[in-house]
Amino acid sequence: MDLYGGHINKLIEELSGLPGIGTKSAQRLAFHLINMPKEKVERLAATMVEARTNVRHCKECFTLTEQDLCPVCANEGRDHKTIMVVENTRDLAAYEKTGKYTGVYHVLHGAISPMLGIGPNDIRLKELMQRLQEDINEVIIATNSSLEGETTAMYISKLIKPIGVKVTRIASGVPVGGDLEYIDEVTLLRALEGRTEL
Ligand code: ZN
């Protein structure tokens, strides 16, 4: 017996396809949406479509932005010869919040994970290597201290070293497996200052 009807089932199915949303949460969200005023649901749907339409990748560092260049890359006051490599835009935001990092970034959009079938070609590594054809002083690898983050850091350092660009890794004062975005600013700065050459 189909208790919910096609539309609710479809909504639950779509919602449960989102990261971190299991069937139970999807059901809860679906019923919440259905009980919301129709205008509110329309506004939410429109906001989602607008964000998807207007947000793109910075053509320099590949973070999410609404311009060709993100505010960091567009800022001539930043040190464009120091590139910090992070896994995602949230990590970039975490470092920006410290207000102390003056270089630029490169956003990989993921990390190498043989277990999940994510290889070097599935993240923005090629684009990083292209940027290194310019005159770069240092690449700071700030991927997470998870297995995937460490694997990615090792892989990148092996790629970059032969080019002769200085490669450093942030200190591992960062909890293992911890997402960078959840770590407080003091810890982030300590990790950055304590970075070591690979
Ligand atoms: Zn950028």
Side-chain angles (χ1 to χ4, degrees):
M1 189 171 65
D2 187 358
L3 285 173
Y4 297 157
H7 286 104
I8 294 184
N9 278 332
K10 179 96 175 66
L11 183 56
I12 293 170
E13 195 188 308
E14 291 288 343
L15 289 168
S16 60
L18 296 171
I21 309 283
T23 312
K24 279 244 170 72
S25 301
Q27 280 174 356
R28 198 168 41 80
L29 285 171
F31 287 117
H32 181 80
L33 283 166
I34 282 158
N35 286 317
M36 269 163 68
K38 194 160 169 264
E39 311 79 66
K40 270 196 158 181
V41 177
E42 278 166 354
R43 200 164 62 215
L44 175 63
T47 306
M48 287 162 87
V49 174
E50 273 164 29
R52 178 61 188 85
T53 309
N54 293 306
V55 177
R56 60 190 111 161
H57 293 124
C58 169
K59 64 177 186 183
E60 195 83 24
C61 73
F62 295 92
T63 194
L64 298 174
T65 177
E66 297 191 6
Q67 313 293 331
D68 272 357
L69 280 180
C70 73
V72 176
C73 290
N75 184 347
E76 285 176 17
R78 304 286 292 233
D79 169 12
H80 287 253
K81 293 186 174 191
T82 301
I83 300 177
M84 184 194 287
V85 180
V86 291
E87 290 183 23
N88 55 53
T89 295
R90 286 166 310 175
D91 295 341
L92 179 156
Y95 269 102
E96 274 307 281
K97 243 174 78 187
T98 69
K100 295 272 164 55
Y101 175 66
T102 54
V104 293
Y105 298 91
H106 186 86
V107 181
L108 294 171
H109 291 283
I112 297 170
S113 171
M115 241 168 63
L116 296 173
I118 301 168
N121 291 330
D122 299 316
I123 56 177
R124 300 278 188 171
L125 253 186
K126 227 177 31 237
E127 291 85 348
L128 173 65
M129 298 313 286
Q130 261 156 22
R131 291 179 73 184
L132 299 186
Q133 289 173 0
E134 310 268 316
D135 182 21
I136 301 297
N137 288 337
E138 182 181 354
V139 173
I140 303 167
I141 305 179
T143 50
N144 287 340
S145 54
S146 60
L147 177 63
E148 291 79 17
E150 292 298 347
T151 307
T152 308
M154 281 304 124
Y155 190 90
I156 295 176
S157 83
K158 271 189 198 143
L159 271 185
I160 297 179
K161 266 195 189 158
I163 310 175
V165 176
K166 182 179 175 188
V167 191
T168 55
R169 174 88 172 110
I170 56 166
S172 55
V174 176
V176 173
D179 268 20
L180 281 182
E181 57 172 325
Y182 295 121
I183 294 157
D184 68 85
E185 290 158 39
V186 178
T187 312
L188 273 185
L189 278 179
R190 220 177 272 150
L192 180 60
E193 278 156 14
R195 67 187 184 273
T196 46
E197 195 159 351
L198 291 175

